[in-house]
Amino acid sequence: MSDSLREQYLRFFSRHGHAIVPSSPLRPENDPTTLFTGSGMQPMLPYFLGETHPLGKRITDSQKSFRTQDIEEVGDNRHTTFFEMLGNWSFGDYFKHEQIAWMWEFLTQELHIDPQRLFFTCFRGNKDLNIPRDTESAELWKKHFSEVGIDAKIIDFSERDGMQGGKIFYYDEKKNWWSRVGAPAHMPVGEPGGPDTEMFFDFRPDLGESCIPGTPFSGKFCHVNCDCGRFMEIGNNVFMQYRKTVEGFEELAQKNVDFGGGLERLMAASLNNPDIFATDLFENARKTLALLSGKQYGENEHETYAYRVVLDHIRAAVFLIGDGIIPSNKDQGYFVRRLLRRAVRFGDTLGIENNFTVQVGEAFITTYASAYPNLALESASIVAELLREEVKFRKTLEVGLKEFQKLSGDIISGTDAFILFSSYGFPIEITEELAKESGKSVDTAAFQEELQHHQELSRTASAGKFKGGLADQSEKVTAFHTATHLMLAGLRQELGKNVHQAGSNITDERTRFDFTFPEKVSREILDRVEAYVNKAIDSGAQVKSTIMEKDGARVAGVEGSFWEKYPEKVTVYQVEGPDGMVYSQELCGGPHVKTMADIARFGRFQIQKEEACSAGVRRIKAVFTAS
Ligand code: SER
């Protein structure tokens, strides 16, 4: 059923001239601003800013997304860490009129949702920001309602007066504005964003203007953004048309549409059941869990909560591992570890004492195999990682619990929590949950301090050990990125094949590049490296990317560090001169310029500085200078 909803959505937009593109990986490529892909929009950012998408101005997809901030919310009927976001995009092509008409048609004709159940919100405008009220969207929704005989009232929402029989509500920029970092006040200069119009489904029209009784949120009046559970947001149409400037906002060169709607939520609305864990996406895994635990989903509140945490966390871990993120103690890997360890702990609540994440994981792989074939391809390694992590955790859990029981006093100190974390593998939430069960609390602030201190130490030890640190995807940053590949090739030619990248950080002012080499590099050598880069630029070489088998690429001498992080098939960028000379050949996710002319316009490449970075690692700063 969910498979067909996903299909139906993609086909609907394909009929309206959109090219269907596959989901990007959960680990963003060359976007240092975030650890995970958390919305369909993230991988599309360059195209809002004017870059040409190879498949045109109308794109649709179902994007795998993971939001770490939702981890604490999992357990109710609608929050998940992992979700699929159905998306459609206009890169300076159609705008509000078409988008709203298509959404109306999709919801009411394709999903057969009763318009009486639908509610919409629009941006009320803000004079200080000089951004007008979005009356156009409100009027468009109203027109569609009237075509089915509903006289939809448009209301300026206020908590005090409630919904007043309205169907369309204006809210301020805290609700009806979207950017990667939220409301206008949080946006850094340069960040794109815009007003949005959101779509809601009412699960309890019988309640009039009231909340679901007995929920902690039930106030005097319910409203679409209320947390009582009566309404669910099922999609968000963002009109990405502004960019933050020092003074306020300016219009982008093109007007874009960014629609995102959670697949499970749309499914929940079309089934008129607010529990997304009851959808078919979780069915296989639910059955497996029932067999393993002997408990049925939905029987009692406490166990239902545990069921949801286990289902959500294992599903997310399966997708993350499928994208090459394996459990570890830092960065992205740490989230996978937390998810799995929490899942094991909540498995306890369901009375499961033996290893079980593999069976549940396999159930998810079966469910998603046709929509995400890479899960089937990677199933052996996914299963191996689940098992390894669970076995490891169960071993330490036993010892750790003993340690935990030895702790006296009502407050667990930051140091003790850190020891439980670093020596016994207890993510902080587990310590907190155990503490709560025994009526204690944890000094989490002190724990965070310890953690930070520890991370700083380990960061110094592995200075700059990250890849793809591009500040943005502007032309100049991209030119620096390609030039950095050439520089590494030059360094390897001069200093030997033991030189590898240890980190990079590229802005539109300079490239900062860390590489493995034990001693100072002389100015003569730096001059030769510089000359190598400029010769490549002058040669008029082209940049080509090819997909290769990982092993084949390695044997062919393609340069790369962190090989183990890459999937079996890798993208190799090659800079090749008109005479066939290969200046650089390196594993990378892009983006890169197409021809050397795209670099030459910024001037000559110049290495300004070379210095020690950490033991065995050197750091170079290079710029473009006017020639
Ligand atoms: N970017 C918007 C969101 O994540 C719509 O896709 O809600």
Side-chain angles (χ1 to χ4, degrees):
M1 283 188 304
S2 298
D3 275 344
S4 33
L5 200 161
R6 191 192 295 110
E7 267 308 298
Q8 209 179 341
Y9 173 83
L10 295 174
R11 291 206 181 292
F12 179 82
F13 279 96
S14 148
R15 283 205 301 280
H16 289 295
H18 292 64
I20 303 176
V21 302
S23 174
S24 291
L26 286 164
R27 185 212 301 270
E29 290 173 334
N30 285 326
D31 182 354
T33 58
T34 169
L35 285 175
F36 297 102
T37 304
S39 71
M41 172 269 190
Q42 263 163 249
M44 302 294 171
L45 195 68
Y47 312 112
F48 290 131
L49 302 177
E51 201 167 294
T52 311
H53 193 289
L55 295 178
K57 293 182 170 177
R58 298 182 177 192
I59 299 294
T60 184
D61 68 359
S62 176
Q63 173 64 47
K64 298 179 274 192
S65 306
F66 178 71
R67 292 188 178 174
T68 54
Q69 65 271 32
D70 287 343
I71 201 165
E72 308 292 340
E73 312 237 23
V74 177
D76 67 8
N77 64 10
R78 60 190 63 193
H79 282 96
T80 56
T81 54
F82 170 89
F83 60 98
E84 285 173 79
M85 198 175 239
L86 299 177
N88 65 271
W89 321 88
S90 160
F91 303 128
D93 191 36
Y94 59 85
F95 207 45
K96 295 182 183 176
H97 198 271
E98 294 87 337
Q99 178 63 18
I100 288 176
W102 288 335
M103 272 303 140
W104 180 268
E105 183 186 342
F106 183 72
L107 295 179
T108 61
Q109 310 286 309
E110 295 271 326
L111 300 188
H112 304 290
I113 295 179
D114 175 0
Q116 296 287 3
R117 301 289 195 104
L118 291 174
F119 291 76
F120 301 92
T121 61
C122 302
F123 181 49
R124 78 166 2 139
N126 183 321
K127 287 209 178 68
D128 296 336
L129 300 173
N130 203 15
I131 307 240
R133 181 184 276 260
D134 186 7
T135 48
E136 191 184 348
S137 295
E139 292 298 335
L140 285 165
W141 291 122
K142 187 177 169 68
K143 181 190 85 163
H144 291 297
F145 272 120
S146 78
E147 283 160 6
V148 295
I150 298 174
D151 180 18
K153 260 169 73 181
I154 305 177
I155 303 278
D156 252 27
F157 178 74
S158 85
E159 300 254 348
R160 205 193 55 208
D161 302 321
M163 306 204 302
Q164 306 169 69
K167 293 288 276 180
I168 301 159
F169 302 95
Y170 287 118
Y171 278 81
D172 67 13
E173 63 277 2
K174 288 196 201 81
K175 290 286 181 207
N176 282 81
W177 181 274
W178 205 90
S179 78
R180 292 183 299 173
V181 291
H186 300 137
M187 292 167 66
V189 168
E191 183 71 20
D196 67 38
T197 171
E198 302 186 5
M199 324 193 301
F200 293 82
F201 181 84
D202 184 0
F203 286 100
R204 295 292 303 275
D206 58 303
L207 290 172
E209 303 262 310
S210 312
C211 288
I212 295 181
T215 57
F217 304 100
S218 35
K220 187 168 169 219
F221 294 119
C222 196
H223 58 103
V224 293
N225 279 307
C226 171
D227 286 323
C228 77
R230 173 174 165 181
F231 294 94
M232 185 184 270
E233 186 201 325
I234 54 173
N236 183 8
N237 307 273
V238 184
F239 302 116
M240 195 56 88
Q241 68 184 110
Y242 297 103
R243 188 210 300 262
K244 180 104 171 233
T245 63
V246 183
E247 291 89 43
F249 282 93
E250 67 181 11
E251 294 255 359
L252 289 173
Q254 63 189 46
K255 287 188 169 133
N256 308 289
V257 176
D258 153 12
F259 170 76
L263 171 67
E264 291 101 335
R265 288 177 171 221
L266 284 159
M267 194 69 207
S270 71
L271 296 172
N272 192 23
N273 178 354
D275 185 358
I276 63 169
F277 294 93
T279 60
D280 62 319
L281 290 170
F282 293 93
E283 190 177 335
N284 267 331
R286 253 183 359 244
K287 284 190 179 146
T288 306
L289 209 46
L291 280 176
L292 289 164
S293 66
K295 310 235 157 80
Q296 290 305 316
Y297 177 71
E299 262 178 3
N300 79 50
E301 223 174 287
H302 188 54
E303 285 166 7
T304 300
Y305 186 95
Y307 242 99
R308 289 170 177 161
V309 173
V310 170
L311 291 173
D312 170 76
H313 287 13
I314 296 181
R315 181 177 68 158
V318 162
F319 273 94
L320 290 164
I321 299 171
D323 277 349
I325 305 172
I326 55 172
S328 77
N329 252 354
K330 51 182 209 189
D331 302 335
Q332 284 104 326
Y334 178 54
F335 288 93
V336 186
R337 171 155 288 168
R338 270 169 76 181
L339 289 166
L340 287 173
R341 296 189 168 193
R342 253 184 126 227
V344 171
R345 278 268 305 142
F346 279 91
D348 263 15
T349 311
L350 295 173
I352 306 176
E353 280 164 13
N354 299 318
N355 289 345
F356 73 105
T357 57
V358 166
Q359 279 116 301
V360 180
E362 282 173 333
F364 279 122
I365 294 174
T366 310
T367 303
Y368 283 100
S370 66
Y372 295 95
N374 88 306
L375 290 185
L377 286 174
E378 298 291 328
S379 67
S381 60
I382 297 173
V383 163
E385 290 300 338
L386 293 177
L387 185 63
R388 196 193 336 253
E389 186 62 18
E390 183 166 5
V391 168
K392 198 166 166 184
F393 183 50
R394 284 192 187 276
K395 252 192 225 147
T396 54
L397 186 61
E398 220 176 294
V399 197
L401 278 175
K402 285 203 189 106
E403 280 310 301
F404 180 86
Q405 274 142 17
K406 282 191 211 151
L407 301 174
S408 55
D410 287 345
I411 298 173
I412 293 166
S413 72
T415 314
D416 284 336
F418 186 73
I419 292 170
L420 285 170
F421 164 75
S422 57
S423 310
Y424 301 97
F426 278 29
I428 184 70
E429 309 82 358
I430 292 191
T431 306
E432 283 175 325
E433 279 152 16
L434 289 170
K436 207 159 135 197
E437 282 165 22
S438 48
K440 299 181 180 197
S441 64
V442 185
D443 188 347
T444 33
F447 167 82
Q448 293 303 345
E449 255 172 57
E450 288 270 355
L451 182 66
Q452 217 172 345
H453 178 63
H454 167 85
Q455 280 170 342
E456 269 155 27
L457 287 179
S458 65
R459 206 167 290 136
T460 323
S462 62
K465 219 164 144 211
F466 62 97
K467 191 150 169 83
L470 304 195
D472 56 40
Q473 306 202 341
S474 65
E475 280 167 45
K476 195 158 180 201
V477 167
T478 308
F480 264 130
H481 186 203
T482 308
T484 305
H485 273 217
L486 291 168
M487 177 169 71
L488 174 59
L491 286 165
R492 282 165 58 81
Q493 174 165 300
E494 294 295 328
L495 302 172
K497 300 290 176 236
N498 283 333
V499 169
H500 297 290
Q501 168 166 349
S504 74
N505 181 295
I506 301 176
T507 67
D508 62 2
E509 284 170 359
R510 50 100 183 123
T511 169
R512 198 184 77 201
F513 183 71
D514 299 343
F515 60 100
T516 54
F517 194 65
E519 60 205 51
K520 180 145 193 72
V521 183
S522 71
R523 187 65 233 183
E524 294 79 73
I525 291 181
L526 294 178
D527 286 345
R528 287 209 292 273
V529 172
E530 223 176 75
Y532 180 90
V533 176
N534 286 316
K535 183 171 160 225
I537 296 173
D538 292 341
S539 78
Q542 306 274 327
V543 182
K544 288 194 302 203
S545 72
T546 32
I547 313 268
M548 291 175 84
E549 296 290 334
K550 179 153 93 172
D551 291 338
R554 226 169 168 159
V555 172
V558 168
E559 167 55 2
S561 21
F562 318 112
W563 283 89
E564 67 290 351
K565 283 198 189 168
Y566 286 87
E568 282 319 304
K569 284 206 187 325
V570 295
T571 308
V572 173
Y573 277 86
Q574 179 164 318
V575 182
E576 192 182 315
D579 56 354
M581 159 90 182
V582 176
Y583 288 97
S584 150
Q585 210 185 15
E586 193 178 329
L587 215 61
C588 188
H592 284 283
V593 301
K594 294 195 181 57
T595 73
M596 292 300 109
D598 299 333
I599 305 184
R601 44 198 281 244
F602 295 110
R604 308 298 291 167
F605 185 77
Q606 191 186 68
I607 298 178
Q608 285 199 325
K609 207 155 122 191
E610 190 274 348
E611 62 191 1
C613 173
S614 64
V617 177
R618 310 289 303 176
R619 173 169 288 180
I620 276 181
K621 187 183 142 194
V623 297
F624 291 125
T625 60
S627 38

